[in-house]
Amino acid sequence: MESTSIVAKGLDDVIVGDTVLSSVNGEKGELIYRGYNIDELADCSFEQVCHLFLYGDFPSGDQERALRERLAARYMIPKEVVDFICFASIIEPPMATLRTAVSMLSCFLKEARLDNEEELRETALQLIAKIGTIAAAIGRVRKGQLPIAPNVSFGYSKNFLYMCNGEVPEDIVTKTMDTSMVLHMDHGFNASTFTARAVTSSLSDMISAVTAAIGSLKGPLHGGANTAVMKMLMEIGGVENIEPWLEKALKEKKKIMGFGHRVYKVLDPRAKHLKRMSKEWGERAHEKKWFQMSEKLEDLMMEKKGINANVDFYSASTYYTMGFEPDMYTPIFAVARMVGWTAHVIEQLKDNRIMRPEANYVGPIGKKL
Ligand code: COA
């Protein structure tokens, strides 16, 4: 049969739409959120950058406080969702429970009309507020602990840490979580964001879009890489094992988790911040081993393959020394990325056309029964 060539396997270099939300410059190693370089925003609070995405501008102090209160008023999750988390968290991986728990929220939230931006933003606020509570509850049940109700007097990152650990975090811990959340909030048309926009393009609803996005983020080639990085470091065991381990892995043509990127040809600008955080947390926790191992692996990957670390590489050792179990790293990524996903759903609806690529059929034709 006549076959047309595939234009772009994996949609490499294909531009499928406009966005004002974020720009990823792979040559310069630059990430921009609505005009602001990520380096400018790295010290901002969750609420400040969330406001930037959802309302289009950087908030004044009053606007930031107002958003903090609006989110806090929506932190609480229904009892039925808590019950589901208690059941599911002990039998399946946390990203699967997170996906289903977020999907369940459609039982309790009014479906936003797609032509009503206020209603869409209300659903976005509900999802952003509640995914933190869901993720924290999953983490606790996995450790055999009871979920902790949110504290509505706390800002987003502080409350998230409080619900995870059951104690009020020190300011330095909240600050680290704020920075990590900001760095993970959005990243152009990555696989999960594209998934959310593709679901939206058929005029489905926001909860369906972000549920599908969580499913996409779960994979180890995307958000699941941060968990895979920590498991890899644990398997390697020590700095002295890195070189032989890497040589064997590369010989076996294995993908090294936390390295490589479709768009960045230079260092991922988020990795620079996370590397600093990983170093600081290693020193703080008197557990420098994971940072030292990471740095050595980074150097060797550059020497042997010329491939840079990505966002997921240093977030692994940072979260580990902060006390999170590896399987929770991807849910934490999802908590931050919910801001980007919901903003993209709203943007997609403003200038929508159904996403419908073509397939190159390579099977037989003319068969008869
Ligand atoms: N380890 C080893 N080699 C890697 C690599 C990695 N992490 N990432 C890319 N490469 C190599 C590939 O083997 C390939 O080499 P080849 O041309 O000799 O076959 C080349 O670099 C291109 O890789 P490819 O998988 O085609 O790039 P992609 O753009 O399709 O994939 C990723 C991008 C991110 C999926 C890929 O780099 C990867 O799997 N990384 C590990 C998972 C990860 O960290 N994901 C999080 C991304 S933020």
Side-chain angles (χ1 to χ4, degrees):
M1 67 170 284
E2 194 185 319
S3 113
T4 32
S5 63
I6 298 174
V7 177
K9 193 170 176 191
L11 300 179
D12 214 340
D13 284 332
V14 175
I15 295 174
V16 296
D18 293 338
T19 183
V20 296
L21 296 172
S22 62
S23 156
V24 182
N25 186 321
E27 304 298 329
K28 287 199 218 161
E30 199 174 71
L31 171 59
I32 288 168
Y33 291 169
R34 284 197 186 271
Y36 296 90
N37 192 300
I38 190 77
D39 296 338
E40 285 280 312
L41 299 171
D43 281 334
C44 293
S45 69
F46 181 98
E47 286 84 353
Q48 283 174 316
V49 185
C50 180
H51 191 285
L52 180 64
F53 276 115
L54 285 192
Y55 298 93
D57 50 13
F58 195 82
S60 65
D62 283 348
Q63 286 174 320
E64 183 193 359
R65 270 187 294 281
L67 178 56
R68 180 164 303 175
E69 281 165 22
R70 248 175 273 147
L71 285 171
R74 292 163 179 78
Y75 285 159
M76 206 70 176
I77 55 173
K79 182 186 170 298
E80 290 82 350
V81 177
V82 178
D83 289 346
F84 165 72
I85 291 168
C86 291
F87 155 73
S89 296
I90 45 176
I91 55 170
E92 64 174 1
M95 280 300 280
T97 308
L98 184 78
R99 183 199 59 226
T100 306
V102 166
S103 179
M104 276 180 82
L105 293 175
S106 65
C107 302
F108 307 94
L109 300 175
K110 178 172 165 266
E111 188 170 313
R113 283 173 291 178
L114 299 184
D115 58 355
N116 186 317
E117 202 169 322
E118 267 321 296
E119 289 186 14
L120 289 165
R121 226 183 263 139
E122 168 58 23
T123 305
L125 289 174
Q126 292 280 4
L127 288 166
I128 293 164
K130 288 180 171 38
I131 191 174
T133 312
I134 291 171
I138 293 171
R140 286 188 67 81
V141 175
R142 283 174 64 80
K143 289 189 284 186
Q145 298 166 331
L146 286 172
I148 289 181
N151 185 325
V152 295
S153 70
F154 292 164
Y156 197 91
S157 297
K158 186 173 180 177
N159 177 56
F160 178 62
L161 288 159
Y162 166 71
M163 292 187 298
C164 288
N165 301 323
E167 51 194 49
V168 180
E170 289 175 54
D171 288 349
I172 173 88
V173 190
T174 302
K175 180 102 219 81
T176 305
M177 188 49 75
D178 263 332
T179 300
S180 185
M181 289 278 172
V182 167
L183 295 174
H184 286 85
M185 268 183 193
D186 197 38
H187 205 235
F189 283 14
N190 59 85
S192 59
T193 302
F194 175 67
T195 299
R197 291 188 76 127
V199 172
T200 304
S201 79
S202 73
L203 299 183
S204 184
D205 67 291
M206 188 184 275
I207 295 182
S208 296
V210 301
T211 300
I214 294 171
S216 168
L217 189 78
K218 178 172 178 280
L221 297 188
H222 190 13
N226 53 13
T227 293
V229 167
M230 198 62 223
K231 292 186 174 171
M232 170 183 77
L233 293 175
M234 291 163 118
E235 181 199 317
I236 298 171
V239 181
E240 67 287 357
N241 301 333
I242 290 195
E243 192 150 10
W245 182 90
L246 183 62
E247 265 178 24
K248 183 166 178 285
L250 292 178
K251 207 178 279 170
E252 290 168 359
K253 301 259 173 246
K254 280 195 182 147
K255 283 277 177 70
I256 313 302
M257 292 292 120
F259 288 91
H261 201 273
R262 172 64 63 77
V263 185
Y264 291 122
K265 307 299 172 220
V266 294
L267 184 67
D268 181 330
R270 303 163 297 177
K272 174 181 70 185
H273 293 279
L274 286 156
K275 181 173 181 175
R276 173 184 45 80
M277 286 150 66
S278 165
K279 185 165 193 279
E280 286 168 7
W281 269 89
E283 283 160 7
R284 210 183 120 80
H286 303 291
E287 204 177 0
K288 295 182 188 169
K289 169 181 166 181
W290 307 109
F291 174 75
Q292 287 165 350
M293 285 179 71
S294 303
E295 198 172 38
K296 171 112 195 223
L297 190 52
E298 185 190 16
D299 291 346
L300 284 172
M301 272 298 277
M302 184 42 74
E303 189 187 307
K304 291 181 190 296
K305 294 283 291 183
I307 298 179
N308 280 296
N310 58 48
V311 68
D312 296 309
F313 189 61
Y314 281 104
S315 62
S317 46
T318 306
Y319 290 149
Y320 188 85
T321 40
M322 287 177 81
F324 289 102
E325 71 143 321
D327 280 319
M328 287 307 295
Y329 304 170
T330 319
I332 298 172
F333 189 160
V335 170
R337 191 53 65 87
M338 184 60 88
V339 175
W341 290 331
T342 52
H344 276 275
V345 168
I346 294 171
E347 185 181 62
Q348 177 67 30
L349 288 166
K350 286 185 182 157
D351 184 24
N352 185 54
R353 191 164 186 223
I354 191 164
M355 301 226 189
R356 206 313 182 184
E358 285 199 45
N360 186 33
Y361 178 70
V362 293
I365 52 168
K367 282 190 158 186
K368 302 254 188 285
L369 283 176

